[in-house]
Amino acid sequence: VKTRQGWRKIRRTIRTPTELAEAAQSLGATDLYYSVSWWADPVRVSDRLHAHRLLGSDLAFDLDAPPPLGETTWNWARRAMRWLLAAMEDEPGYAIQDDYPAWTGHKGYRLVYDDVGLVLPPDPTQRLAVLEARRAALVTRLLGRAQSTLRPREAALLRRCWDRRVTLNPFTVIRVLGTTHSATGRPSIPLARPAWRTKAWHSASLWASPNPSLGVMTRPESWSVMAP
């Protein structure tokens, strides 16, 4: 969890939303995150020293609107998300999770996939290297596909919106869906699938609608609502 004093870890097993809320409250959490990777001893994992405890990992994409935030740049992030969704349909080793795509509560979108094709070696000391090589190969394939199928400007916008560090890093943590982003006061929530398939839909509606998944097209009067 993130607190006003810095990062803290919940040092016990969480089984229910109530237990999560109680643990977060006890730590004074302002933001809640979870690891995309699974570890035999997650409390001890923070760097490569304990990377041999890796058991598996989900694949995550962050598509953020670059500054200055506004309708145009949010639309770039939305288009980048839609392109990646289509491109990942040609990657049989991955299956998108039921709660995604999602709005992050701040600058854009997140996609999370089950890595159904990941095979980790029996030797735990080799697992991190195998995972990192698999992630790097995927990113290289996707960038190559973008370069060959998109116009130069569109490919450049994809690279600008896609935070590839999130995709490549097995130690990445991402926001728990349904929790609020402390910088905006807006929740990170799943998007209804028909909404993100609608060409006219864009992120501006998320700031005006109490139910962003509906894709309501009401444009906020001022972009100042993004200020903390």
Side-chain angles (χ1 to χ4, degrees):
V1 302
K2 189 176 181 181
T3 71
R4 297 188 185 281
Q5 289 73 42
W7 289 90
R8 302 281 300 278
K9 290 182 180 180
I10 297 176
R11 298 181 177 273
R12 62 185 175 90
T13 302
I14 299 295
R15 294 185 174 87
T16 67
T18 299
E19 290 179 352
L20 178 60
E22 291 172 349
Q25 186 175 16
S26 68
L27 294 173
T30 58
D31 298 85
L32 287 176
Y33 296 85
Y34 71 95
S35 170
V36 297
S37 296
W38 325 322
W39 310 91
D41 188 357
V43 171
R44 296 187 62 188
V45 172
S46 59
D47 53 36
R48 292 177 178 274
L49 181 63
H50 300 105
H52 64 281
R53 299 174 184 271
L54 178 70
L55 300 177
S57 186
D58 294 334
L59 173 73
F61 296 92
D62 267 16
L63 295 313
D64 292 335
L69 294 183
E71 183 175 347
T72 297
T73 55
W74 262 332
N75 207 36
W76 293 349
R78 178 184 62 82
R79 291 169 64 186
M81 177 196 72
R82 292 181 65 191
W83 186 88
L84 277 169
L85 280 165
M88 286 299 295
E89 290 180 358
D90 294 328
E91 295 289 341
Y94 302 92
I96 193 164
Q97 295 183 0
D98 290 341
D99 289 333
Y100 291 89
W103 167 250
T104 64
H106 190 198
K107 293 189 285 188
Y109 306 95
R110 179 166 294 124
L111 307 174
V112 180
Y113 289 79
D114 292 325
D115 192 344
V116 295
L118 176 63
V119 178
L120 293 175
D123 183 351
T125 63
Q126 299 178 10
R127 292 176 182 175
L128 185 64
V130 168
L131 175 61
E132 289 180 322
R134 178 171 169 81
R135 293 286 188 269
L138 174 66
V139 169
T140 299
R141 285 198 304 275
L142 291 173
L143 289 176
R145 194 176 308 164
Q147 196 69 31
S148 62
T149 61
L150 295 176
R151 290 176 294 185
R153 182 175 181 275
E154 292 173 335
L157 290 178
L158 172 68
R159 291 192 299 270
R160 190 174 177 186
C161 294
W162 177 13
D163 187 347
R164 294 181 291 284
R165 296 169 298 179
V166 171
T167 306
L168 290 167
N169 183 10
F171 298 95
T172 288
V173 294
I174 59 178
R175 188 174 305 280
V176 175
L177 283 177
T179 63
T180 301
H181 196 298
S182 62
T184 63
R186 299 285 177 169
S188 175
I189 61 172
L191 302 179
R193 305 252 171 145
W196 56 257
R197 289 189 182 277
T198 303
K199 184 175 182 180
W201 182 83
H202 59 79
S203 308
S205 63
L206 298 178
W207 295 96
S209 170
N211 188 350
S213 63
L214 296 178
V216 178
M217 287 299 296
T218 305
R219 187 181 188 280
E221 294 179 1
S222 170
W223 297 114
S224 62
V225 294
M226 292 182 292

PDB file of all heavy atoms in Angstrom, residues 18 39 41 55 72 87 108 115 125 132 143 159 165 209 213-214:
ATOM      1  N   THR A  18     -13.328  -7.257   2.966  1.00  0.00           N
ATOM      2  CA  THR A  18     -13.373  -6.680   4.312  1.00  0.00           C
ATOM      3  C   THR A  18     -12.008  -6.728   4.969  1.00  0.00           C
ATOM      4  O   THR A  18     -11.554  -5.745   5.586  1.00  0.00           O
ATOM      5  CB  THR A  18     -14.403  -7.436   5.181  1.00  0.00           C
ATOM      6  OG1 THR A  18     -15.691  -7.318   4.589  1.00  0.00           O
ATOM      7  CG2 THR A  18     -14.438  -6.858   6.592  1.00  0.00           C
ATOM      8  N   TRP A  39       4.513 -14.885  -5.776  1.00  0.00           N
ATOM      9  CA  TRP A  39       5.764 -15.246  -5.126  1.00  0.00           C
ATOM     10  C   TRP A  39       5.493 -16.215  -3.975  1.00  0.00           C
ATOM     11  O   TRP A  39       4.461 -16.129  -3.301  1.00  0.00           O
ATOM     12  CB  TRP A  39       6.467 -14.008  -4.586  1.00  0.00           C
ATOM     13  CG  TRP A  39       6.593 -12.904  -5.587  1.00  0.00           C
ATOM     14  CD1 TRP A  39       5.719 -11.877  -5.807  1.00  0.00           C
ATOM     15  CD2 TRP A  39       7.643 -12.725  -6.534  1.00  0.00           C
ATOM     16  NE1 TRP A  39       6.165 -11.064  -6.822  1.00  0.00           N
ATOM     17  CE2 TRP A  39       7.353 -11.560  -7.289  1.00  0.00           C
ATOM     18  CE3 TRP A  39       8.827 -13.428  -6.815  1.00  0.00           C
ATOM     19  CZ2 TRP A  39       8.188 -11.087  -8.297  1.00  0.00           C
ATOM     20  CZ3 TRP A  39       9.653 -12.957  -7.819  1.00  0.00           C
ATOM     21  CH2 TRP A  39       9.331 -11.802  -8.546  1.00  0.00           C
ATOM     22  N   ASP A  41       6.978 -16.227  -1.183  1.00  0.00           N
ATOM     23  CA  ASP A  41       7.011 -15.450   0.061  1.00  0.00           C
ATOM     24  C   ASP A  41       6.904 -13.976  -0.322  1.00  0.00           C
ATOM     25  O   ASP A  41       7.898 -13.250  -0.334  1.00  0.00           O
ATOM     26  CB  ASP A  41       8.310 -15.719   0.818  1.00  0.00           C
ATOM     27  CG  ASP A  41       8.319 -15.095   2.205  1.00  0.00           C
ATOM     28  OD1 ASP A  41       7.332 -14.410   2.538  1.00  0.00           O
ATOM     29  OD2 ASP A  41       9.302 -15.284   2.944  1.00  0.00           O
ATOM     30  N   LEU A  55       6.634 -17.656  -8.785  1.00  0.00           N
ATOM     31  CA  LEU A  55       5.749 -18.781  -9.106  1.00  0.00           C
ATOM     32  C   LEU A  55       4.985 -18.570 -10.403  1.00  0.00           C
ATOM     33  O   LEU A  55       4.526 -19.536 -11.019  1.00  0.00           O
ATOM     34  CB  LEU A  55       4.747 -18.993  -7.964  1.00  0.00           C
ATOM     35  CG  LEU A  55       5.325 -19.316  -6.593  1.00  0.00           C
ATOM     36  CD1 LEU A  55       4.203 -19.422  -5.565  1.00  0.00           C
ATOM     37  CD2 LEU A  55       6.143 -20.601  -6.626  1.00  0.00           C
ATOM     38  N   THR A  72      -7.782  15.373 -26.533  1.00  0.00           N
ATOM     39  CA  THR A  72      -6.943  14.860 -27.622  1.00  0.00           C
ATOM     40  C   THR A  72      -6.010  13.763 -27.135  1.00  0.00           C
ATOM     41  O   THR A  72      -5.925  12.679 -27.719  1.00  0.00           O
ATOM     42  CB  THR A  72      -6.130  15.998 -28.243  1.00  0.00           C
ATOM     43  OG1 THR A  72      -7.023  16.944 -28.825  1.00  0.00           O
ATOM     44  CG2 THR A  72      -5.196  15.459 -29.326  1.00  0.00           C
ATOM     45  N   ALA A  87      -4.149  -6.443 -31.299  1.00  0.00           N
ATOM     46  CA  ALA A  87      -2.875  -7.125 -31.542  1.00  0.00           C
ATOM     47  C   ALA A  87      -2.714  -8.344 -30.642  1.00  0.00           C
ATOM     48  O   ALA A  87      -2.184  -9.378 -31.060  1.00  0.00           O
ATOM     49  CB  ALA A  87      -1.715  -6.155 -31.321  1.00  0.00           C
ATOM     50  N   GLY A 108      -5.332   7.144 -17.855  1.00  0.00           N
ATOM     51  CA  GLY A 108      -5.625   6.294 -19.007  1.00  0.00           C
ATOM     52  C   GLY A 108      -6.180   4.937 -18.646  1.00  0.00           C
ATOM     53  O   GLY A 108      -7.053   4.806 -17.799  1.00  0.00           O
ATOM     54  N   ASP A 115      -1.110 -15.123 -18.316  1.00  0.00           N
ATOM     55  CA  ASP A 115      -0.043 -15.641 -19.176  1.00  0.00           C
ATOM     56  C   ASP A 115      -0.151 -17.160 -19.196  1.00  0.00           C
ATOM     57  O   ASP A 115       0.580 -17.863 -18.496  1.00  0.00           O
ATOM     58  CB  ASP A 115       1.320 -15.194 -18.650  1.00  0.00           C
ATOM     59  CG  ASP A 115       2.433 -15.448 -19.649  1.00  0.00           C
ATOM     60  OD1 ASP A 115       2.205 -16.229 -20.600  1.00  0.00           O
ATOM     61  OD2 ASP A 115       3.534 -14.873 -19.494  1.00  0.00           O
ATOM     62  N   THR A 125      16.143 -20.650  -9.858  1.00  0.00           N
ATOM     63  CA  THR A 125      17.098 -19.565 -10.107  1.00  0.00           C
ATOM     64  C   THR A 125      17.047 -19.081 -11.549  1.00  0.00           C
ATOM     65  O   THR A 125      17.584 -18.019 -11.857  1.00  0.00           O
ATOM     66  CB  THR A 125      18.531 -20.011  -9.768  1.00  0.00           C
ATOM     67  OG1 THR A 125      18.922 -21.095 -10.631  1.00  0.00           O
ATOM     68  CG2 THR A 125      18.628 -20.452  -8.319  1.00  0.00           C
ATOM     69  N   GLU A 132      11.495 -12.705 -18.025  1.00  0.00           N
ATOM     70  CA  GLU A 132      11.915 -11.441 -18.619  1.00  0.00           C
ATOM     71  C   GLU A 132      12.176 -11.585 -20.112  1.00  0.00           C
ATOM     72  O   GLU A 132      11.845 -10.683 -20.897  1.00  0.00           O
ATOM     73  CB  GLU A 132      13.157 -10.914 -17.900  1.00  0.00           C
ATOM     74  CG  GLU A 132      12.867 -10.421 -16.488  1.00  0.00           C
ATOM     75  CD  GLU A 132      14.088  -9.904 -15.784  1.00  0.00           C
ATOM     76  OE1 GLU A 132      15.181 -10.495 -15.956  1.00  0.00           O
ATOM     77  OE2 GLU A 132      13.973  -8.911 -15.043  1.00  0.00           O
ATOM     78  N   LEU A 143       5.888  -4.101 -31.011  1.00  0.00           N
ATOM     79  CA  LEU A 143       6.435  -2.877 -31.601  1.00  0.00           C
ATOM     80  C   LEU A 143       6.730  -3.074 -33.083  1.00  0.00           C
ATOM     81  O   LEU A 143       6.508  -2.170 -33.901  1.00  0.00           O
ATOM     82  CB  LEU A 143       7.699  -2.456 -30.860  1.00  0.00           C
ATOM     83  CG  LEU A 143       7.503  -1.906 -29.443  1.00  0.00           C
ATOM     84  CD1 LEU A 143       8.860  -1.630 -28.790  1.00  0.00           C
ATOM     85  CD2 LEU A 143       6.662  -0.633 -29.452  1.00  0.00           C
ATOM     86  N   ARG A 159       3.861   4.230 -29.023  1.00  0.00           N
ATOM     87  CA  ARG A 159       5.056   4.157 -28.185  1.00  0.00           C
ATOM     88  C   ARG A 159       5.013   5.200 -27.073  1.00  0.00           C
ATOM     89  O   ARG A 159       5.481   4.956 -25.955  1.00  0.00           O
ATOM     90  CB  ARG A 159       6.311   4.341 -29.035  1.00  0.00           C
ATOM     91  CG  ARG A 159       6.598   3.184 -29.987  1.00  0.00           C
ATOM     92  CD  ARG A 159       7.992   3.286 -30.569  1.00  0.00           C
ATOM     93  NE  ARG A 159       8.176   4.501 -31.340  1.00  0.00           N
ATOM     94  CZ  ARG A 159       7.932   4.607 -32.638  1.00  0.00           C
ATOM     95  NH1 ARG A 159       7.469   3.545 -33.311  1.00  0.00           N
ATOM     96  NH2 ARG A 159       8.138   5.735 -33.285  1.00  0.00           N
ATOM     97  N   ARG A 165       7.651  -0.087 -19.361  1.00  0.00           N
ATOM     98  CA  ARG A 165       8.272  -0.528 -18.110  1.00  0.00           C
ATOM     99  C   ARG A 165       7.307  -1.401 -17.312  1.00  0.00           C
ATOM    100  O   ARG A 165       7.729  -2.365 -16.667  1.00  0.00           O
ATOM    101  CB  ARG A 165       8.697   0.679 -17.279  1.00  0.00           C
ATOM    102  CG  ARG A 165       9.782   1.539 -17.928  1.00  0.00           C
ATOM    103  CD  ARG A 165       9.955   2.844 -17.183  1.00  0.00           C
ATOM    104  NE  ARG A 165       8.717   3.643 -17.207  1.00  0.00           N
ATOM    105  CZ  ARG A 165       8.587   4.817 -16.621  1.00  0.00           C
ATOM    106  NH1 ARG A 165       9.598   5.348 -15.943  1.00  0.00           N
ATOM    107  NH2 ARG A 165       7.442   5.479 -16.690  1.00  0.00           N
ATOM    108  N   SER A 209     -19.212  11.333 -15.797  1.00  0.00           N
ATOM    109  CA  SER A 209     -20.243  10.339 -15.540  1.00  0.00           C
ATOM    110  C   SER A 209     -19.964   9.587 -14.253  1.00  0.00           C
ATOM    111  O   SER A 209     -18.848   9.155 -14.009  1.00  0.00           O
ATOM    112  CB  SER A 209     -20.281   9.337 -16.705  1.00  0.00           C
ATOM    113  OG  SER A 209     -21.114   8.245 -16.374  1.00  0.00           O
ATOM    114  N   SER A 213     -18.252   3.297 -17.087  1.00  0.00           N
ATOM    115  CA  SER A 213     -18.334   2.158 -17.994  1.00  0.00           C
ATOM    116  C   SER A 213     -19.459   2.306 -19.009  1.00  0.00           C
ATOM    117  O   SER A 213     -19.494   1.622 -20.016  1.00  0.00           O
ATOM    118  CB  SER A 213     -18.538   0.872 -17.187  1.00  0.00           C
ATOM    119  OG  SER A 213     -19.762   0.903 -16.490  1.00  0.00           O
ATOM    120  N   LEU A 214     -20.384   3.230 -18.746  1.00  0.00           N
ATOM    121  CA  LEU A 214     -21.478   3.442 -19.691  1.00  0.00           C
ATOM    122  C   LEU A 214     -21.035   4.271 -20.900  1.00  0.00           C
ATOM    123  O   LEU A 214     -21.739   4.325 -21.896  1.00  0.00           O
ATOM    124  CB  LEU A 214     -22.653   4.140 -18.994  1.00  0.00           C
ATOM    125  CG  LEU A 214     -23.320   3.341 -17.868  1.00  0.00           C
ATOM    126  CD1 LEU A 214     -24.426   4.171 -17.244  1.00  0.00           C
ATOM    127  CD2 LEU A 214     -23.869   2.022 -18.381  1.00  0.00           C
TER     128      LEU A 214
END
